[in-house]
Each structure stands twice: as C-alpha cells, then as structure tokens.
Amino acid sequence: MICLAFVLYNVEERFLDEFIESVNSQTYSNFDLFVLAESNANGLHKLKNLNKNIIDIKSELITSPVNNRNVLIQSLRKSKYDYVVFADIDDIMSPNRVESSLNALKKGYNVVYNDLIRFHNKEDIDFEPLWGSRLDRINLPNYEYNVLGLGNTAIRTSVLEGLNYRINSKVFDWSFFLNLSSIVELNVSLIDGYTYYRVHRNSLLNNLSDQEKLFQLNLEVLEDIVDGDDKKVELNRLNKLKKVNKLKYVDDGFWFEKV
C-alpha cells in the first residue's frame, strides 16, 4: 500500500488548488492521502472531493513546522503503508512523480528522490531543474548536500522503524535523512519526475548569507544526529573550515552545498 503524506496548513487558496490539481493528475492514482491537519487548517473539504481514501491525523499540540513533521513521521512509522511519497501543499508535482517513486521503490531502493524546479507563481515556471547534472556526482545522504527533503522524496516505510525520537533542527529534512542513515543503510536513487518548488521570500535556506549563521545551522543539524564516527569527522572538519574562514555555501532553495 502507498500513500501521499503531507501537512495541511493554511496557505493561499490558489496554492492548495494547484497542489490538488497535481494530485489529481498523477499517472498512478491508486494511493491514499495521509494528512496531518493542523487544528486551524482550512481546505480538508477540498481534499475530500478527490476520489481518495484520506487518513486524517489531527493534533491539538502542533505549534511549529518542526512539530508538524515530527508528528507526521511518527504517525507514518506506526501506519499500515509500505511506501510513502512526501509532498508539500504549496508545491506542485509532475504527473509521473508518484508512479516513478513507486516503480523505483519496488525495485529495492528504500529512498528515492527527484529534482526540483523553482517557481513562485504557476505562470512563472521556467522548467529549469535546480540541480541538474550536479546530482550525478552526489552520494546521498551526506553532510555536504541538503538535497533530500519532504517535498521531493519517497521512502519504504520500513526505514522508519528505529526512528523513535524527536528531531529538533529547523532544517528538519536534512536532519531526518541523516538520522535515518545512522540507524539503517539507505539505498538511494534519483528518479524521473519533478517537484515544482514554490520559493518564498522568507524561506530559511533562501536567507542564509552570514558565515556564522551557516556554521550555527550546521551545528544544530549535527546536534540532532545520532553519535557516530561520521558525525565526529564532520564536526572536526566544520570547525577547521570556520577557523580558516573557508566556510562558504551555495544557498539556493533546498540546495545547501559546501564549496
């Protein structure tokens, strides 16, 4: 069984409408919606107009995007689904995204991901992949690239089995996949299909320019990760880069690449 999992929060109505349209346009349609609905969220009635089984997870204790994601992940960990495709309701999915994800997961991969295409308004989509050929040289997940997010990935639910603790980092997605890699071997594959990633001016990763802030953000992610040799190596490397003033990044949407 497969579900499309996301947090339902208050967004502009047209954003939700465009997301729902992309859900309805998927070439593979036999999936449920696994929805964590914020207590004050509008729009659930629109999702119910889709011909989908909806698993509606509610929590009155949700107070932040980090809490939202923690509740979503732990609810999925206890669910009946074999496969989960993640999404974000202010983004749009290419029509083949669910089908491509499912095909790759059935081949034995336990994490799959797709490239992003940035846009703000639907009419502004330029169809230029964010990462393109750079993805060919990356072994994921690792501490160098923040590529795996809850808007462009799908997983075998079995990888969540040992993840029974809370993630605190504001860069939740990066911490989430690094933590997964510390408790289970991840077999990751790039797939066909795209997530059209809506860029907002207040996006955390779109407003990083100060070296000290970048360093602190990395430390925050590292504090979230289960202790291990890789974490120690990265912490030493990070401190050395800061000491010689060579900590620079490409901060482009989800992209978070040390150069």
Side-chain angles (χ1 to χ4, degrees):
M1 296 183 66
I2 181 172
C3 68
L4 183 72
F6 54 90
V7 176
L8 180 65
Y9 51 91
N10 284 327
V11 294
E12 288 187 33
E13 187 172 5
R14 65 186 177 95
F15 293 176
L16 181 59
D17 288 344
E18 289 167 0
F19 171 74
I20 290 174
E21 181 183 351
S22 76
V23 172
N24 210 29
S25 299
Q26 291 300 301
T27 54
Y28 181 86
S29 60
N30 189 23
F31 58 89
D32 293 347
L33 302 182
F34 194 95
V35 183
L36 174 60
E38 291 187 355
S39 56
N40 64 341
N42 298 318
L44 193 60
H45 65 287
K46 290 192 173 185
L47 294 175
K48 290 180 178 178
N49 289 331
L50 292 167
N51 186 25
K52 300 290 182 192
N53 183 37
I54 298 179
I55 309 300
D56 179 17
I57 308 298
K58 290 186 173 68
S59 174
E60 298 298 327
L61 301 178
I62 298 172
T63 57
S64 71
V66 171
N67 285 338
N68 293 347
R69 283 173 160 78
N70 275 298
V71 174
L72 182 68
I73 294 300
Q74 292 305 319
S75 299
L76 285 166
R77 188 171 70 88
K78 301 170 185 176
S79 75
K80 62 185 178 182
Y81 294 99
D82 302 306
Y83 310 108
V84 176
V85 180
F86 291 111
D88 196 321
I89 63 169
D90 63 348
D91 293 342
I92 301 173
M93 299 179 292
S94 65
N96 64 335
R97 184 167 175 250
V98 172
E99 183 174 13
S100 294
S101 298
L102 182 59
N103 288 342
L105 291 169
K106 283 185 173 181
K107 289 179 181 178
Y109 298 105
N110 55 18
V111 174
V112 299
Y113 71 109
N114 54 266
D115 208 337
L116 303 181
I117 293 176
R118 292 176 301 165
F119 78 108
H120 180 61
N121 295 312
K122 192 173 181 181
E123 58 271 17
D124 298 332
I125 297 176
D126 61 8
F127 300 102
E128 183 66 32
L130 177 59
W131 303 314
S133 61
R134 288 184 288 181
L135 290 175
D136 295 336
R137 66 175 188 266
I138 302 175
N139 292 317
L140 295 172
N142 62 40
Y143 288 95
E144 299 297 305
Y145 305 93
N146 178 30
V147 175
L148 302 176
L150 295 192
N152 72 320
T153 58
I155 63 170
R156 284 178 174 263
T157 316
S158 57
V159 301
L160 300 176
E161 184 176 347
L163 192 70
N164 56 4
Y165 47 88
R166 175 185 168 81
I167 292 172
N168 294 300
S169 171
K170 290 187 291 294
V171 191
F172 181 97
D173 302 19
W174 196 13
S175 293
F176 168 64
F177 281 105
L178 287 171
N179 267 300
L180 279 185
S181 69
S182 71
I183 60 177
V184 65
E185 184 177 352
L186 297 185
N187 188 9
V188 184
S189 178
L190 175 65
I191 61 169
D192 294 331
Y194 296 96
T195 296
Y196 300 97
Y197 168 57
R198 196 181 302 270
V199 178
H200 300 284
R201 289 184 178 87
N202 63 347
S203 172
L204 175 65
L205 296 185
N206 285 339
N207 287 290
L208 296 175
S209 57
D210 181 78
Q211 177 177 308
E212 186 64 30
K213 290 180 182 178
L214 292 169
F215 179 76
Q216 291 302 321
L217 193 58
N218 272 265
L219 288 180
E220 183 181 292
V221 171
L222 281 166
E223 287 172 0
D224 253 358
I225 310 303
V226 175
D227 288 334
D229 292 339
D230 288 345
K231 175 177 176 176
K232 294 174 184 176
V233 169
E234 175 60 16
L235 183 58
N236 289 334
R237 181 179 180 278
L238 186 62
N239 279 302
K240 287 178 182 178
L241 285 172
K242 184 188 180 187
K243 190 174 293 186
V244 297
N245 199 30
K246 289 186 178 179
L247 189 65
K248 297 181 181 179
Y249 290 77
V250 177
D251 52 301
D252 190 0
F254 273 34
W255 193 251
F256 204 51
E257 173 186 358
K258 296 179 187 177
V259 296

